[in-house]
Amino acid sequence: MLVLSASSELFPLIKTGGLADVTGALPKALKPLGVTTRTILPGYPGILPRLTNVQDEAEMVVLGESVQLKSGQLEDLNVIVAHCPALFERDGGPYLNQEGWDHADNWKRFAVLSLATANVASMGLNGWRPNVVHLHDWQTGLTAAYLKAMGAQIPVVLSIHNLAFQGQFSSNVFGELQLPGEFFSVEKLEYFGSVSFLKAGISCADSITTVSPTYAREILTDELGMGMQGILATRRDAIKGIVNGIDTEVWNPLTDACISCNYDNRTIGRRAHNRAALERRFQLTADRGPVLSVVSRLTWQKGIDLLHPVLPGIMDRGGKLIIYGQGDPALIHPLIEESWKYPGRMVVHVGYSEADAHLLHAGSDIIIQPSRFEPCGLTQLYALRYGAIPIVARTGGLAETIIDANEAAMAARVATGFQFQPGSVEDFYHAIDRALTGFERPSFWRRLQNQAMKADFSWQRSAARYADLYSELRKDMAPDARIYRG
Ligand code: ADP
Ligand code: GLC
């Protein structure tokens, strides 16, 4: 089985969040199941020099832009780079310029990526022909529309990692997309008078997956459907929830080169060295009080504003708090001001570093995720593996990957963390209070850590579900099935 995966992010080449972790890890997990993946990705600065065995594969003009397709490898990853300096080689990040604004031509950048992907999917690349196309998020959603317009006979899977990001642009761009006029309709990509790249994917893909079964249900509701619940309802039968896994090689406390001292469940005592390293790194007081951390995009989705009302309680109980990430200045600045009240006990660090993220998981006692909604969430899964106990809002993937440490779950030895009702400050603090009380009882805490570290969120099971899905779709698209479906 040959799969063409299309994504705007791919760990370790380019990452702003969990999307990269997933597209980077899934191909590795699919390989033993007989699925070979090539991932097409924009030629952002610095990507090509990191690849080995780089080959020029094709050259094409896409929406008036000259695009060279170059293949290359990075460890287990087979990459196709859409090399188009005019669109992708610039300062800033994949989506934002240096001032923090969207690149003004994002519609064109990702339309070009999508059409280049559709060309490879339909015509192949120097004899290589994929059996399935797997699109990720809005940046590649338009591919499904292009393939439909071409009449290409290749199954298309669209994975929605976060419905809040929809690739919405003015209807003025439609004329530039080179799609037939009928695509600007409510059944295809028209969305309240504008164009939505995600909606194009939702309406034209053969199968839609999202990153947890709970989120697959939530996106059909008015509350979390983000305006797409109507079109999603028409595709209800095509929607599947497949929970994300984690790359257990990249995230392994026993071999992690980014942390101060390696350990596993049996040698958990050594974890204390990482906690000490974390306290030094963030200039926290070295006392016995628990270290609670947030490692996240600092945005409304992640419930960062809900931290304010619980801060005094954490501080009164002798806790120490690290808030680490990047995001919305309007949420970050008040927290920075708050932190000045608690020198040595509270730090807000604005930054992005993979190594720091690893140390934070290895050294924190507790990782907090107060998300308002969370399609899957990977941080809580890394926390489990590193023996940091998650406190999470009961939503999306958080609800189904963390088992609350209530009496019954503790007695059954399955509890792994603490849950609270999303958006409720009162319940949030109650969960923190329960966790801090638990922390004061070493035998309870050790049991919880043991259960957390034994939880298996490797990719094995979920990769098998993707492999099954690819096979089913391929069967459905076999020539006989096509005739049968009329
Ligand atoms: P999302 O994709 O919504 O941001 P996830 O929990 O799925 O949330 O994934 C977030 C990923 O980004 C994790 O790998 C996490 O460690 C990483 N991450 C988030 N913020 C930072 C940061 N400031 N520095 C390093 N890694 C970060
Ligand atoms: C998105 C979601 C997050 C999910 C990640 C990877 O960024 O916000 O919950 O874990 O994608 O699928």
Side-chain angles (χ1 to χ4, degrees), residues 168-174 184-186 189-196 199:
Q168 213 176 313
F169 303 100
S170 150
S171 57
N172 296 338
V173 311
F174 182 77
F184 190 69
S185 65
V186 72
L189 54 75
E190 187 265 339
Y191 180 72
F192 297 107
S194 30
V195 162
S196 161
K199 188 172 170 188

Side-chain angles (χ1 to χ4, degrees), residues 17-19 22 161-162 211 244 297 301-302 374-378:
L19 168 66
V22 171
H161 295 262
N162 193 334
V211 290
N244 286 335
R297 286 187 288 118
Q301 175 201 338
K302 302 289 180 180
E374 194 63 73
C376 180
L378 296 172

Side-chain angles (χ1 to χ4, degrees), residues 37-108:
T37 310
R38 291 178 97 178
T39 306
I40 183 163
L41 153 105
Y44 302 120
I47 295 220
L48 275 174
R50 291 186 64 187
L51 302 180
T52 56
N53 199 17
V54 174
Q55 318 248 340
D56 288 322
E57 297 277 357
E59 230 174 302
M60 48 181 81
V61 175
V62 186
L63 305 183
E65 301 290 338
S66 157
V67 178
Q68 289 169 285
L69 296 179
K70 294 171 182 276
S71 62
Q73 252 122 20
L74 181 69
E75 291 154 22
D76 301 322
L77 294 173
N78 305 309
V79 184
I80 301 169
V81 175
H83 183 65
C84 177
L87 296 180
F88 299 124
E89 278 196 6
R90 54 176 73 166
D91 293 337
Y95 319 116
L96 307 179
N97 63 23
Q98 272 174 317
E99 284 76 48
W101 299 100
D102 283 356
H103 295 295
D105 56 352
N106 271 348
W107 69 270
K108 184 160 207 185

Side-chain angles (χ1 to χ4, degrees), residues 34-275:
V35 179
T36 305
T37 310
R38 291 178 97 178
T39 306
I40 183 163
L41 153 105
Y44 302 120
I47 295 220
L48 275 174
R50 291 186 64 187
L51 302 180
T52 56
N53 199 17
V54 174
Q55 318 248 340
D56 288 322
E57 297 277 357
E59 230 174 302
M60 48 181 81
V61 175
V62 186
L63 305 183
E65 301 290 338
S66 157
V67 178
Q68 289 169 285
L69 296 179
K70 294 171 182 276
S71 62
Q73 252 122 20
L74 181 69
E75 291 154 22
D76 301 322
L77 294 173
N78 305 309
V79 184
I80 301 169
V81 175
H83 183 65
C84 177
L87 296 180
F88 299 124
E89 278 196 6
R90 54 176 73 166
D91 293 337
Y95 319 116
L96 307 179
N97 63 23
Q98 272 174 317
E99 284 76 48
W101 299 100
D102 283 356
H103 295 295
D105 56 352
N106 271 348
W107 69 270
K108 184 160 207 185
R109 300 168 74 232
F110 294 108
V112 165
L113 176 68
S114 296
L115 186 46
T117 303
N119 287 339
V120 175
S122 60
M123 297 183 290
L125 198 59
N126 289 325
W128 181 84
R129 292 192 79 95
N131 306 112
V132 173
V133 194
H134 190 161
L135 311 175
H136 296 271
D137 272 352
W138 73 265
Q139 297 88 344
T140 57
L142 217 48
T143 309
Y146 284 123
L147 286 168
K148 190 146 252 181
M150 291 170 185
Q153 291 297 327
I154 181 163
V156 179
V157 179
L158 168 74
S159 286
I160 301 174
H161 295 262
N162 193 334
L163 198 56
F165 302 109
Q166 306 183 339
Q168 213 176 313
F169 303 100
S170 150
S171 57
N172 296 338
V173 311
F174 182 77
E176 311 286 320
L177 298 178
Q178 294 179 7
L179 278 167
E182 78 236 29
F183 278 72
F184 190 69
S185 65
V186 72
E187 294 80 26
K188 293 268 191 337
L189 54 75
E190 187 265 339
Y191 180 72
F192 297 107
S194 30
V195 162
S196 161
F197 286 15
L198 184 68
K199 188 172 170 188
I202 292 173
S203 57
C204 298
D206 298 289
S207 169
I208 298 162
T209 69
T210 186
V211 290
S212 69
T214 307
Y215 194 59
R217 288 190 296 277
E218 289 172 344
I219 56 176
L220 293 167
T221 65
D222 288 346
E223 202 191 349
L224 293 176
M226 309 272 165
M228 292 282 178
Q229 60 272 32
I231 180 82
L232 285 164
T234 68
R235 305 295 329 268
R236 187 184 292 267
D237 295 341
I239 302 176
K240 269 195 171 56
I242 303 180
V243 71
N244 286 335
I246 61 171
D247 187 324
T248 50
E249 282 171 23
V250 175
W251 293 90
N252 181 355
L254 200 53
T255 54
D256 194 328
C258 301
I259 67 179
S260 187
C261 183
N262 292 118
Y263 63 97
D264 64 6
N265 202 0
R266 284 174 308 125
T267 54
I268 190 119
R270 296 201 208 157
R271 207 174 178 278
H273 296 289
N274 294 307
R275 203 183 109 119

